[in-house]
């Protein structure tokens, strides 16, 4: 674990949190909003550690007893709220771990901090129960809600909290980080960055995933040979993809990146800005065969396939239509 200065991006949020500490204007309730992997947990934990740090600075010192306990997840006044049911945080969870507990003064810290991860899973009853605590907290109480999807939270909750929206981190920052810290080669870092779309956690996960490399390879194999494969071979390929339904969106994202490369190469004839530079011979060939309109049609078809799958349209049918579009154009 590191201090705030090591965090990639999110400078505005960090400035806001550090100012709140420096000026002694810490709010009783915060919402950290952003998709999985965007850094919500990291920022909330660093903020919690800073608030409890014995040095009373605007960074956690990582040396004092409180910081050390927090690092080993044993700081008794930083409470991570847990839930039994995978997709629900119930009113019982909130009553037991927050409402009943917050009345007891902190053991040895200035604050008592509650971190509720996956806050979008709070039931309406749980949110209403929490609302009272957020509206009338004890002076030492701080509640941090970490949410992938703030629209699942009640307007009354949103209006009582300081909402911090985590924005996408710059591609260059992430690329440098992957190459320097994780020693990922240049072209692979580019692909991870394109795929992660500003999400550091996602970029790290992709960079270190053997599965992702295999998936990329099988997606490229389909793309290289899509037009010469018989339709029934394509259907078989679709069936083998069907078994990996949970990764189908990643496959479609890879298809998108590849066809965008083809379009970019067709327009500029430049190789350096391509994600799949190592595929240049196939990209060249595809750019020669497809018109600009054809490539736009394919890119739109991939986007449409994602929407249809999301709406639970028959999987085989969606993929068949997509592959036919790829072949026709």
């Amino acid at each position: 674990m590191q201090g705030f200065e090591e965090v990639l991006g999110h400078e505005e949020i960090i400035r806001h949190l550090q100012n709140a500490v420096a000026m002694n204007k810490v709010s009783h309730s915060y919402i950290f909003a952003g998709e999985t992997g965007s850094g919500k947990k990291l920022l909330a934990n660093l903020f919690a550690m800073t608030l409890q740090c014995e040095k009373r600075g605007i960074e956690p010192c990582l040396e004092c007893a409180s910081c050390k306990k927090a690092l080993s997840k044993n700081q008794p006044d930083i409470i991570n709220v847990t839930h039994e049911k995978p997709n629900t945080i119930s009113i019982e969870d909130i009553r037991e771990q927050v409402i009943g507990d917050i009345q007891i003064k902190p053991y040895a810290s200035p604050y008592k901090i509650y971190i509720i991860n996956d806050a979008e899973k709070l039931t309406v009853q749980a949110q209403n129960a929490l609302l009272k605590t957020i509206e009338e907290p004890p002076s030492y109480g701080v509640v941090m809600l970490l949410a992938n999807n703030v629209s699942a939270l009640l307007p009354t909750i949103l209006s009582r909290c300081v909402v911090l929206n985590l924005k996408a981190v710059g591609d260059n920052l992430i690329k440098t980080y992957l190459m320097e810290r994780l020693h990922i080669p240049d072209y692979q870092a580019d692909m991870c960055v394109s795929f992660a779309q500003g999400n550091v956690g996602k970029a790290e996960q992709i960079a270190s995933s053997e599965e992702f490399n295999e998936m990329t390879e099988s997606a490229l194999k389909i793309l290289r040979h899509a037009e010469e494969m018989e339709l029934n071979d394509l259907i078989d390929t679709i069936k083998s993809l069907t078994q990996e339904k949970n990764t189908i969106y990643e496959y479609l994202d890879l298809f998108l990146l590849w066809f965008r490369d083809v379009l970019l190469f067709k327009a500029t004839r430049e190789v350096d800005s391509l994600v799949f530079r190592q595929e240049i011979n196939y990209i060249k060939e595809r750019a020669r065969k497809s018109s600009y309109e054809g490539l736009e049609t394919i890119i739109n078809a991939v986007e449409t396939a994602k929407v249809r799958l999301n709406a639970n349209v028959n999987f085989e049918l969606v993929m068949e239509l997509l592959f036919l579009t790829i072949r026709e154009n």
Side-chain angles (χ1 to χ4, degrees):
M1 184 90 164
Q2 72 279 40
F4 280 119
E5 77 283 353
E6 295 279 315
V7 176
L8 282 195
H10 309 309
E11 295 86 357
E12 277 174 43
I13 291 177
I14 292 169
R15 228 184 348 263
H16 176 90
L17 297 173
Q18 292 187 318
N19 284 343
V21 175
M23 296 162 77
N24 204 14
K25 288 193 172 165
V26 176
S27 171
H28 287 294
S29 47
Y30 289 90
I31 292 171
F32 291 82
E35 56 180 27
T36 304
S38 58
K40 302 186 295 291
K41 229 184 232 169
L42 176 64
L43 288 173
N45 285 330
L46 283 171
F47 186 40
M49 281 170 70
T50 305
L51 291 176
Q52 307 292 40
C53 177
E54 290 161 24
K55 295 263 172 79
R56 303 275 170 271
I58 58 168
E59 286 265 350
C61 74
L62 308 177
E63 302 285 318
C64 70
S66 172
C67 282
K68 283 184 174 158
K69 280 182 187 154
L71 286 170
S72 61
K73 305 212 182 332
N74 289 323
Q75 219 288 15
D77 297 314
I78 298 175
I79 297 106
N80 282 285
V81 175
T82 58
H83 51 103
E84 292 291 304
K85 294 181 187 147
N87 291 319
T88 309
I89 305 175
S90 68
I91 188 167
E92 287 77 23
D93 295 324
I94 292 302
R95 276 187 186 141
E96 274 172 36
Q97 297 173 65
V98 184
I99 299 166
D101 188 76
I102 202 167
Q103 300 313 325
I104 305 160
K105 289 203 163 89
Y107 291 96
S109 313
Y111 296 95
K112 208 156 181 194
I113 299 169
Y114 298 84
I115 298 176
I116 304 175
N117 202 10
D118 301 325
E120 67 278 357
K121 294 177 180 174
L122 285 158
T123 63
V124 171
Q125 294 87 337
Q127 290 186 54
N128 280 321
L130 191 60
L131 190 58
K132 188 134 178 56
T133 301
I134 287 174
E135 283 173 333
E136 298 165 20
S139 60
Y140 50 77
V142 177
V143 176
M144 300 185 195
L145 300 169
L146 280 47
N148 294 356
N149 172 17
V150 280
S151 62
L153 297 173
L154 296 172
T156 42
I157 294 265
L158 288 167
S159 65
R160 303 289 191 293
C161 297
V162 173
V163 181
L164 303 167
N165 289 305
L166 278 74
K167 297 188 177 79
V169 176
D171 286 354
N172 286 341
L173 267 180
I174 300 180
K175 182 178 174 180
T176 307
Y177 169 78
L178 291 177
M179 288 172 70
E180 287 177 3
R181 287 288 182 82
L182 303 180
H183 310 296
I184 301 296
D186 188 347
Y187 77 90
Q188 197 186 340
D190 275 335
M191 189 169 69
C192 296
V193 165
S194 304
F195 217 77
Q197 296 186 322
N199 182 319
V200 180
K202 199 171 176 185
E204 278 186 308
Q205 193 189 352
I206 293 165
S208 52
S209 159
E210 199 45 54
E211 258 168 56
F212 186 79
N213 292 337
E214 287 166 18
M215 199 187 337
T216 305
E217 201 34 60
S218 67
L220 290 174
K221 211 175 274 176
I222 293 166
L223 291 164
R224 289 174 200 141
H225 306 297
E227 64 256 35
E228 67 243 25
M229 281 166 82
E230 292 297 321
L231 196 59
N232 50 359
D233 290 335
L234 274 175
I235 306 292
D236 287 342
T237 309
I238 295 163
K239 288 221 172 84
S240 71
L241 285 182
T242 313
Q243 283 145 17
E244 304 183 42
K245 256 190 190 161
N246 52 345
T247 59
I248 188 60
Y249 294 104
E250 278 88 347
Y251 271 108
L252 293 176
D253 282 340
L254 286 165
F255 287 7
L256 267 181
L257 285 179
W258 198 81
F259 280 108
R260 283 188 187 138
D261 269 2
V262 176
L263 188 58
L264 189 63
F265 179 76
K266 190 173 180 70
T268 64
R269 295 276 150 204
E270 283 175 13
V271 180
D272 285 351
S273 47
L274 303 181
V275 174
F276 293 113
R277 290 194 284 284
Q278 77 281 18
E279 292 288 299
I280 184 59
N281 292 339
Y282 293 101
I283 286 172
K284 232 180 228 171
E285 184 58 15
R286 185 77 214 204
R288 189 179 63 76
K289 286 182 182 166
S290 295
S291 66
Y292 286 111
E293 271 168 330
L295 290 167
E296 294 281 3
T297 305
I298 292 170
I299 288 167
N300 290 336
V302 181
E303 295 282 15
T304 305
K306 286 164 79 171
V307 173
R308 285 176 177 156
L309 288 174
N310 243 333
N312 285 330
V313 177
N314 177 281
F315 182 86
E316 269 97 350
L317 183 66
V318 171
M319 298 310 284
E320 198 174 318
L321 284 169
L322 173 61
F323 281 131
L324 279 169
T325 309
I326 288 174
R327 291 181 62 174
E328 281 164 10
N329 290 280

